[in-house]
Amino acid sequence: FTVTLYFRALFNPDLPTAFAHIWVASVETTLFFVGGISAWYILRRRNVEFFLKSFKIILIVALAATPLQILLGDASGLTVGKYQPAKLAAMEAHWNTNPPGTGASWNLIAAPDKAAQDNRWTVHIPYLLSILSARSLTGRVTGLKDFPVADQPPVVAPFYAFRVMFLLGFAMFFLALWALWKWVRGRLKPERAAEQRRFWWLWVIALPSGFIATEAGWIAREMGRQPWIIYGLMRTSDGVSPIAPGATAGSLAAFVVLYSALFALFVFFTRRILKAGPDLDSPLPRYGAPAPRQGG
């Protein structure tokens, strides 16, 4: 395969929703990271006024980002259903195409069995998958059985990875709404903030939620497109580079060592910064001011 139209390859139908979805996910991850750190300091009654300000700043942005991310996730699901229906069926553990006049149920949890081409058991909500995927109570949703077994993606990992992302996305949205409610009720004032211990602990626990949701979404996206490296045209197994196993293992080991060292350094310096707390004594930088003159 040779790319002849790079513009069409890059700006494919999935780009607008996929790019927006991951960009807002990155913003949301940062917001809850900063929110969790702010909550940690407030719980310890350290620089409460300072971290209340930082918390309120991220909350204002989170109140816009969290519902937007839910809408973008919905739009991304519609795009997947249109262009990669097998991926959508795997993410929903949906095996049988619903007959005309009937609705497809949305599986809240399930035990998918690819060998049996069915779910051993499910907890489902009638009609909801048709509503989400086709915007109709009886909208047609293609089942995995409509595709040859060799062309079906894995089911268990995409199914549960998608639900982790889905649940964390809504949890972050409702946590932001709860914070807004407390702010409106006057409970986020310096003299009252530290009393809301359960609230702040939930924000500390939510600190890694954006990272987890992003990784879960990536698992659903990448495992859900299997077995294709070029969807419907070229299998992943046919795209393997002719590199010796030893070279692959060596480069992988180097990456593992490098990124482990970078992560250790990140933890070390982040711990030092958090332990020291904010520097409230140094003067703020004066943007546009001339540089200090050297000498006497």
XYZ file of all heavy atoms in Angstrom, residues 137-215:
660
model
N -35.459 4.360 18.780
C -35.777 3.244 19.675
C -35.545 1.900 19.010
O -35.217 0.910 19.673
C -37.234 3.348 20.137
C -37.536 4.301 21.296
C -39.044 4.413 21.489
C -36.862 3.820 22.575
N -35.735 1.834 17.702
C -35.593 0.563 16.984
C -34.517 0.655 15.909
O -34.555 -0.070 14.913
C -36.933 0.152 16.347
O -37.380 1.202 15.473
C -37.985 -0.101 17.417
N -33.531 1.548 16.104
C -32.457 1.696 15.131
C -31.626 0.432 15.004
O -31.366 -0.267 15.985
N -31.197 0.136 13.787
C -30.429 -1.079 13.520
C -28.981 -0.892 13.948
O -28.330 0.083 13.590
C -30.481 -1.416 12.030
C -29.760 -2.694 11.630
C -29.925 -2.936 10.134
N -29.313 -4.189 9.709
C -28.036 -4.304 9.341
N -27.254 -3.227 9.336
N -27.548 -5.465 8.969
N -28.479 -1.851 14.738
C -27.080 -1.856 15.168
C -26.477 -3.200 14.761
O -26.935 -4.253 15.208
C -26.939 -1.648 16.691
C -25.468 -1.575 17.068
C -27.670 -0.389 17.135
N -25.475 -3.147 13.922
C -24.877 -4.377 13.389
C -24.199 -5.170 14.493
O -23.441 -4.624 15.300
C -23.851 -4.033 12.302
O -24.476 -3.227 11.304
C -23.307 -5.298 11.655
N -24.473 -6.476 14.532
C -23.870 -7.352 15.529
C -22.583 -7.981 15.036
O -22.316 -8.052 13.826
N -21.771 -8.473 15.965
C -20.482 -9.068 15.611
C -20.633 -10.309 14.740
O -19.753 -10.616 13.927
C -19.718 -9.434 16.887
C -18.717 -8.406 17.411
C -18.084 -8.926 18.694
C -17.641 -8.107 16.385
N -21.732 -11.036 14.871
C -21.917 -12.245 14.080
C -22.041 -11.953 12.584
O -21.919 -12.872 11.768
C -23.156 -13.011 14.560
C -22.963 -13.713 15.887
C -24.200 -14.531 16.241
C -24.040 -15.248 17.571
N -25.254 -16.029 17.928
N -22.288 -10.701 12.224
C -22.360 -10.342 10.808
C -20.984 -10.278 10.159
O -20.873 -10.118 8.940
C -23.053 -8.994 10.644
C -24.562 -9.090 10.817
O -25.025 -10.121 11.353
O -25.271 -8.148 10.437
N -19.928 -10.403 10.969
C -18.562 -10.356 10.446
C -17.911 -11.728 10.621
O -18.172 -12.417 11.619
C -17.732 -9.302 11.190
C -18.326 -7.928 11.141
C -19.190 -7.489 12.140
C -18.039 -7.068 10.090
C -19.753 -6.227 12.100
C -18.598 -5.799 10.042
C -19.446 -5.383 11.039
N -17.063 -12.150 9.688
C -16.355 -13.425 9.871
C -15.554 -13.411 11.171
O -15.050 -12.359 11.584
C -15.421 -13.486 8.648
C -16.045 -12.578 7.635
C -16.716 -11.491 8.417
N -15.452 -14.564 11.798
C -14.740 -14.652 13.077
C -13.319 -14.121 12.946
O -12.796 -13.449 13.842
C -14.739 -16.107 13.587
C -13.879 -16.231 14.850
C -16.158 -16.573 13.880
N -12.676 -14.388 11.804
C -11.299 -13.933 11.595
C -11.202 -12.419 11.528
O -10.118 -11.849 11.727
C -10.737 -14.542 10.313
N -12.306 -11.742 11.230
C -12.305 -10.283 11.130
C -12.855 -9.600 12.376
O -12.958 -8.372 12.414
C -13.146 -9.836 9.924
C -12.542 -10.277 8.596
O -11.354 -10.651 8.585
O -13.267 -10.242 7.584
N -13.198 -10.378 13.392
C -13.751 -9.801 14.612
C -12.631 -9.372 15.558
O -11.655 -10.098 15.741
C -14.645 -10.813 15.327
C -15.902 -11.199 14.574
C -16.694 -12.275 15.297
O -16.328 -12.708 16.402
N -17.770 -12.724 14.673
N -12.754 -8.202 16.180
C -11.764 -7.780 17.177
C -11.950 -8.529 18.487
O -12.963 -9.216 18.681
C -12.069 -6.293 17.351
C -13.506 -6.162 16.987
C -13.798 -7.205 15.949
N -10.985 -8.414 19.414
C -11.221 -8.914 20.769
C -12.437 -8.210 21.361
O -12.774 -7.103 20.948
C -9.934 -8.555 21.520
C -8.928 -8.251 20.473
C -9.677 -7.758 19.272
N -13.069 -8.834 22.332
C -14.304 -8.259 22.866
C -14.148 -7.828 24.326
O -14.539 -6.713 24.687
C -15.477 -9.261 22.735
C -16.772 -8.641 23.274
C -15.664 -9.669 21.280
N -13.571 -8.672 25.164
C -13.549 -8.390 26.602
C -12.824 -7.077 26.910
O -13.348 -6.208 27.617
C -12.905 -9.557 27.378
C -12.776 -9.204 28.857
C -13.736 -10.828 27.209
N -11.602 -6.909 26.379
C -10.823 -5.704 26.694
C -11.489 -4.428 26.177
O -11.641 -3.466 26.940
C -9.403 -5.840 26.147
N -11.907 -4.352 24.896
C -12.593 -3.125 24.453
C -13.892 -2.862 25.210
O -14.214 -1.706 25.511
C -12.861 -3.391 22.962
C -11.857 -4.400 22.562
C -11.654 -5.255 23.767
N -14.637 -3.928 25.507
C -15.918 -3.765 26.201
C -15.722 -3.111 27.561
O -16.370 -2.105 27.892
C -16.591 -5.128 26.353
C -17.886 -5.100 27.135
C -19.066 -4.703 26.531
C -17.916 -5.472 28.469
C -20.262 -4.664 27.244
C -19.106 -5.447 29.190
C -20.283 -5.044 28.572
N -14.813 -3.648 28.382
C -14.649 -3.113 29.728
C -13.802 -1.841 29.747
O -14.007 -0.967 30.602
C -14.087 -4.186 30.653
C -15.181 -5.097 31.147
C -15.354 -6.378 30.620
C -16.082 -4.661 32.116
C -16.385 -7.201 31.049
C -17.113 -5.474 32.550
C -17.259 -6.740 32.021
O -18.299 -7.541 32.442
N -12.862 -1.692 28.815
C -12.098 -0.442 28.745
C -13.016 0.728 28.413
O -12.905 1.811 28.996
C -10.997 -0.566 27.693
N -13.939 0.496 27.496
C -14.892 1.553 27.148
C -15.738 1.941 28.350
O -16.008 3.123 28.583
C -15.787 1.090 25.997
C -16.877 2.067 25.654
C -16.588 3.224 24.947
C -18.179 1.845 26.061
C -17.591 4.145 24.651
C -19.186 2.745 25.768
C -18.890 3.905 25.054
N -16.157 0.969 29.143
C -16.997 1.266 30.306
C -16.227 1.983 31.402
O -16.789 2.810 32.120
C -17.654 -0.020 30.813
C -18.953 -0.287 30.073
C -19.240 -1.735 29.775
N -20.428 -1.784 28.926
C -20.398 -1.547 27.597
N -19.244 -1.271 27.002
N -21.518 -1.596 26.888
N -14.955 1.674 31.553
C -14.136 2.421 32.517
C -14.063 3.883 32.094
O -14.252 4.796 32.921
C -12.724 1.797 32.602
C -11.778 2.727 33.367
C -12.790 0.435 33.293
N -13.786 4.122 30.810
C -13.733 5.496 30.309
C -15.081 6.194 30.475
O -15.152 7.340 30.931
C -13.328 5.485 28.829
C -13.291 6.851 28.181
S -12.961 6.780 26.401
C -14.461 5.966 25.811
N -16.141 5.505 30.127
C -17.501 6.045 30.194
C -17.864 6.440 31.630
O -18.319 7.561 31.894
C -18.461 4.993 29.649
C -19.915 5.359 29.711
C -20.513 6.047 28.671
C -20.695 4.999 30.803
C -21.863 6.382 28.722
C -22.042 5.327 30.865
C -22.627 6.021 29.816
N -17.634 5.540 32.575
C -18.008 5.797 33.963
C -17.156 6.906 34.580
O -17.669 7.758 35.313
C -17.885 4.513 34.782
C -18.917 3.425 34.458
C -18.601 2.140 35.210
C -20.333 3.895 34.795
N -15.858 6.916 34.278
C -14.999 7.966 34.824
C -15.368 9.324 34.240
O -15.330 10.344 34.949
C -13.528 7.650 34.535
C -12.903 6.565 35.402
C -11.489 6.253 34.941
C -12.898 6.970 36.875
N -15.726 9.364 32.959
C -16.140 10.627 32.350
C -17.349 11.215 33.049
O -17.385 12.423 33.358
N -18.352 10.386 33.334
C -19.541 10.884 34.027
C -19.237 11.187 35.491
O -19.795 12.141 36.063
C -20.684 9.876 33.916
C -21.503 10.051 32.669
C -21.227 9.310 31.533
C -22.546 10.968 32.625
C -21.967 9.489 30.366
C -23.297 11.149 31.478
C -23.018 10.404 30.345
N -18.350 10.400 36.122
C -17.984 10.663 37.519
C -17.314 12.027 37.647
O -17.602 12.792 38.584
C -17.067 9.562 38.035
N -16.426 12.362 36.724
C -15.762 13.666 36.765
C -16.757 14.797 36.541
O -16.666 15.860 37.166
C -14.629 13.706 35.731
C -13.437 12.846 36.103
S -11.999 13.046 35.021
C -12.490 12.033 33.632
N -17.722 14.568 35.660
C -18.757 15.568 35.408
C -19.579 15.829 36.672
O -19.786 16.991 37.073
C -19.652 15.091 34.269
C -20.883 15.934 34.047
C -20.777 17.279 33.737
C -22.147 15.369 34.140
C -21.910 18.060 33.533
C -23.284 16.136 33.932
C -23.167 17.489 33.628
N -20.029 14.772 37.334
C -20.849 14.945 38.532
C -20.038 15.489 39.708
O -20.560 16.235 40.551
C -21.521 13.632 38.912
C -22.643 13.249 37.991
C -22.591 12.078 37.262
C -23.746 14.078 37.833
C -23.619 11.728 36.382
C -24.784 13.748 36.972
C -24.718 12.570 36.245
N -18.748 15.144 39.772
C -17.896 15.700 40.822
C -17.740 17.207 40.632
O -17.747 17.980 41.611
C -16.531 15.016 40.811
C -15.590 15.300 41.991
C -16.251 14.987 43.319
C -14.296 14.509 41.837
N -17.612 17.649 39.382
C -17.531 19.084 39.108
C -18.843 19.781 39.472
O -18.832 20.890 40.023
C -17.184 19.313 37.635
N -19.980 19.141 39.180
C -21.276 19.730 39.550
C -21.423 19.838 41.062
O -21.955 20.836 41.573
C -22.414 18.877 38.974
C -22.667 18.962 37.476
C -23.850 18.078 37.099
C -22.922 20.404 37.033
N -20.957 18.826 41.779
C -21.024 18.863 43.243
C -20.169 20.006 43.780
O -20.571 20.716 44.713
C -20.556 17.524 43.809
C -20.782 17.371 45.279
C -21.666 18.055 46.054
C -20.105 16.463 46.164
N -21.590 17.635 47.363
C -20.644 16.661 47.454
C -19.119 15.507 45.976
C -20.214 15.938 48.556
C -18.684 14.772 47.071
C -19.227 14.983 48.345
N -18.994 20.205 43.169
C -18.132 21.302 43.601
C -18.805 22.646 43.340
O -18.719 23.572 44.171
C -16.794 21.229 42.867
N -19.486 22.776 42.213
C -20.209 24.013 41.922
C -21.297 24.258 42.971
O -21.477 25.393 43.445
C -20.830 23.938 40.522
C -21.719 25.129 40.128
C -20.907 26.416 40.065
C -22.399 24.841 38.787
N -22.001 23.214 43.352
C -23.055 23.326 44.362
C -22.480 23.810 45.696
O -23.047 24.701 46.342
C -23.758 21.979 44.526
C -24.874 21.998 45.522
C -26.150 22.444 45.340
C -24.806 21.535 46.886
N -26.882 22.297 46.492
C -26.090 21.742 47.461
C -23.801 20.968 47.663
C -26.366 21.396 48.769
C -24.080 20.630 48.977
C -25.352 20.837 49.513
N -21.340 23.260 46.072
C -20.712 23.687 47.325
C -20.237 25.138 47.233
O -20.322 25.895 48.208
C -19.550 22.755 47.676
C -19.992 21.425 48.268
C -18.830 20.650 48.807
C -19.306 19.394 49.544
N -19.973 19.702 50.821
N -19.747 25.526 46.086
C -19.288 26.904 45.889
C -20.468 27.869 46.017
O -20.383 28.882 46.712
C -18.643 27.018 44.515
C -17.883 28.307 44.300
C -17.778 29.364 45.146
C -17.110 28.644 43.136
N -17.005 30.354 44.598
C -16.569 29.944 43.369
C -16.821 27.991 41.951
C -15.769 30.586 42.431
C -16.010 28.634 41.018
C -15.498 29.900 41.254
N -21.568 27.531 45.354
C -22.755 28.386 45.396
C -23.298 28.485 46.823
O -23.769 29.546 47.253
C -23.831 27.857 44.429
C -25.156 28.601 44.627
C -23.359 27.996 42.986
N -23.215 27.389 47.568
C -23.727 27.374 48.946
C -22.763 28.031 49.938
O -23.040 28.076 51.135
C -23.999 25.933 49.380
C -25.118 25.242 48.614
C -26.481 25.858 48.941
N -26.812 25.705 50.342
C -27.445 24.648 50.852
N -27.818 23.663 50.048
N -27.723 24.583 52.137
N -21.635 28.523 49.458
C -20.697 29.211 50.319
C -19.811 28.316 51.154
O -19.231 28.772 52.146
N -19.670 27.053 50.755
C -18.866 26.116 51.540
C -17.414 26.030 51.080
O -16.649 25.223 51.608
C -19.516 24.732 51.513
C -20.894 24.727 52.157
C -21.539 23.378 52.123
N -22.886 23.424 52.708
C -23.704 22.387 52.786
N -23.318 21.206 52.320
N -24.906 22.522 53.328
N -17.057 26.827 50.083
C -15.669 26.831 49.617
C -14.983 28.134 49.992
O -14.108 28.620 49.281
C -15.622 26.614 48.093
C -16.157 25.281 47.587
C -15.909 25.129 46.098
C -15.547 24.097 48.349
N -15.375 28.702 51.128
C -14.694 29.872 51.672
C -13.550 29.405 52.570
O -13.610 28.305 53.140
C -15.676 30.727 52.460
C -16.773 31.354 51.597
C -17.725 32.194 52.439
C -18.783 32.836 51.553
N -19.739 33.664 52.337
N -12.498 30.198 52.710
C -11.337 29.755 53.499
C -11.684 29.277 54.899
O -11.096 28.301 55.394
C -10.448 31.007 53.529
C -10.808 31.750 52.289
C -12.276 31.509 52.079
N -12.631 29.929 55.547
C -12.951 29.552 56.929
C -13.787 28.278 57.018
O -13.902 27.685 58.093
C -13.689 30.694 57.633
C -15.028 31.074 57.011
C -14.890 32.106 55.896
O -13.752 32.312 55.429
O -15.915 32.696 55.509
N -14.375 27.798 55.915
C -15.233 26.610 55.943
C -14.705 25.466 55.088
O -15.157 24.337 55.233
C -16.641 26.966 55.463
C -17.364 27.995 56.314
C -18.807 28.126 55.882
N -19.540 26.882 56.089
C -20.802 26.688 55.686
N -21.448 27.657 55.058
N -21.408 25.538 55.915
N -13.775 25.764 54.199
C -13.376 24.773 53.200
C -12.812 23.501 53.822
O -13.165 22.384 53.413
C -12.359 25.383 52.250
N -11.935 23.629 54.804
C -11.270 22.457 55.355
C -12.230 21.504 56.057
O -11.886 20.347 56.326
C -10.159 22.885 56.310
N -13.442 21.970 56.379
C -14.417 21.106 57.043
C -14.999 20.059 56.096
O -15.519 19.037 56.546
C -15.563 21.963 57.596
C -15.113 23.015 58.604
C -16.240 23.982 58.931
O -17.364 23.788 58.407
O -16.005 24.934 59.706
N -14.917 20.296 54.783
C -15.540 19.398 53.797
C -14.585 18.237 53.462
O -14.164 18.057 52.326
C -15.879 20.173 52.520
C -16.462 21.551 52.726
C -17.790 21.517 53.453
O -18.625 20.654 53.187
N -18.000 22.450 54.369
N -14.236 17.460 54.468
C -13.177 16.475 54.296
C -13.561 15.385 53.297
O -12.739 14.983 52.470
C -12.800 15.851 55.650
C -12.217 16.853 56.630
C -11.623 16.175 57.844
N -10.521 15.290 57.524
C -9.275 15.685 57.312
N -8.960 16.966 57.390
N -8.324 14.808 57.046
N -14.757 14.864 53.334
C -15.153 13.822 52.391
C -15.086 14.336 50.952
O -14.633 13.639 50.047
C -16.564 13.333 52.710
C -17.034 12.197 51.820
C -18.450 11.762 52.172
N -18.526 11.311 53.554
C -19.662 10.950 54.154
N -20.817 11.019 53.480
N -19.665 10.530 55.393
N -15.527 15.553 50.752
C -15.501 16.175 49.438
C -14.075 16.273 48.907
O -13.790 15.892 47.765
C -16.137 17.566 49.524
C -15.978 18.408 48.294
C -16.759 18.177 47.176
C -15.046 19.443 48.265
C -16.617 18.963 46.046
C -14.902 20.230 47.137
C -15.685 19.988 46.024
N -13.164 16.771 49.755
C -11.786 16.932 49.293
C -11.104 15.592 49.073
O -10.302 15.451 48.138
C -10.986 17.780 50.286
C -11.469 19.183 50.391
C -11.954 19.812 51.500
C -11.544 20.144 49.330
N -12.323 21.098 51.210
C -12.082 21.341 49.884
C -11.210 20.116 47.975
C -12.276 22.480 49.122
C -11.416 21.255 47.217
C -11.947 22.421 47.781
N -11.412 14.582 49.888
C -10.818 13.264 49.667
C -11.263 12.669 48.332
O -10.485 12.002 47.659
C -11.177 12.318 50.818
C -10.203 12.352 51.955
C -10.445 12.709 53.246
C -8.809 12.030 51.886
N -9.301 12.640 54.000
C -8.278 12.221 53.190
C -7.956 11.619 50.868
C -6.931 12.008 53.478
C -6.607 11.405 51.158
C -6.119 11.593 52.447
N -12.498 12.924 47.936
C -12.954 12.450 46.630
C -12.168 13.116 45.505
O -11.848 12.478 44.489
C -14.451 12.711 46.455
C -15.379 11.742 47.183
C -16.833 12.175 47.033
C -15.199 10.318 46.652
N -11.822 14.377 45.672
C -11.013 15.043 44.652
C -9.585 14.501 44.634
O -8.976 14.393 43.566
C -11.011 16.556 44.881
C -12.164 17.211 44.186
C -13.402 17.454 44.693
C -12.199 17.671 42.831
N -14.213 18.037 43.747
C -13.497 18.192 42.591
C -11.265 17.708 41.794
C -13.867 18.734 41.352
C -11.633 18.244 40.562
C -12.916 18.752 40.354
N -9.051 14.155 45.805
C -7.719 13.530 45.835
C -7.762 12.174 45.116
O -6.879 11.855 44.318
C -7.236 13.367 47.286
C -5.954 12.540 47.336
C -7.001 14.734 47.930
N -8.793 11.385 45.409
C -8.934 10.080 44.762
C -9.111 10.237 43.255
O -8.633 9.412 42.468
C -10.128 9.321 45.379
C -9.831 8.968 46.841
C -10.454 8.065 44.589
C -11.033 8.443 47.609
N -9.777 11.320 42.847
C -10.040 11.553 41.424
C -8.818 12.077 40.681
O -8.871 12.216 39.449
C -11.199 12.532 41.259
N -7.729 12.357 41.372
C -6.552 12.926 40.715
C -6.097 12.109 39.497
O -5.835 12.685 38.445
C -5.415 13.075 41.734
C -4.152 13.782 41.272
C -3.487 14.506 42.450
C -3.141 12.812 40.667
N -5.989 10.771 39.561
C -5.529 10.025 38.385
C -6.641 9.644 37.415
O -6.385 8.931 36.445
C -4.911 8.763 39.006
C -5.741 8.517 40.217
C -6.132 9.887 40.742
N -7.878 10.093 37.652
C -8.998 9.616 36.844
C -8.843 9.950 35.369
O -9.198 9.146 34.496
C -10.314 10.187 37.382
O -10.277 11.596 37.420
N -8.309 11.129 35.065
C -8.118 11.494 33.660
C -7.112 10.599 32.967
O -7.316 10.195 31.812
N -6.025 10.260 33.665
C -5.028 9.353 33.088
C -5.647 7.983 32.815
O -5.439 7.386 31.750
C -3.834 9.196 34.039
C -3.053 10.456 34.261
C -3.241 11.215 35.407
C -2.121 10.892 33.337
C -2.516 12.380 35.623
C -1.390 12.049 33.531
C -1.593 12.800 34.683
N -6.390 7.470 33.791
C -6.992 6.134 33.645
C -8.004 6.130 32.512
O -8.025 5.201 31.681
C -7.650 5.708 34.968
C -6.597 5.593 36.076
C -8.388 4.380 34.800
C -7.187 5.416 37.466
N -8.850 7.160 32.446
C -9.859 7.224 31.395
C -9.216 7.306 30.016
O -9.676 6.668 29.049
C -10.778 8.419 31.624
N -8.138 8.083 29.898
C -7.451 8.216 28.608
C -6.844 6.886 28.173
O -6.957 6.487 27.010
C -6.354 9.293 28.698
O -6.963 10.540 29.074
C -5.655 9.471 27.373
N -6.189 6.188 29.090
C -5.597 4.894 28.749
C -6.671 3.874 28.391
O -6.509 3.080 27.462
C -4.748 4.376 29.917
C -3.487 5.180 30.161
C -2.540 5.167 28.977
O -2.471 4.141 28.265
O -1.863 6.185 28.755
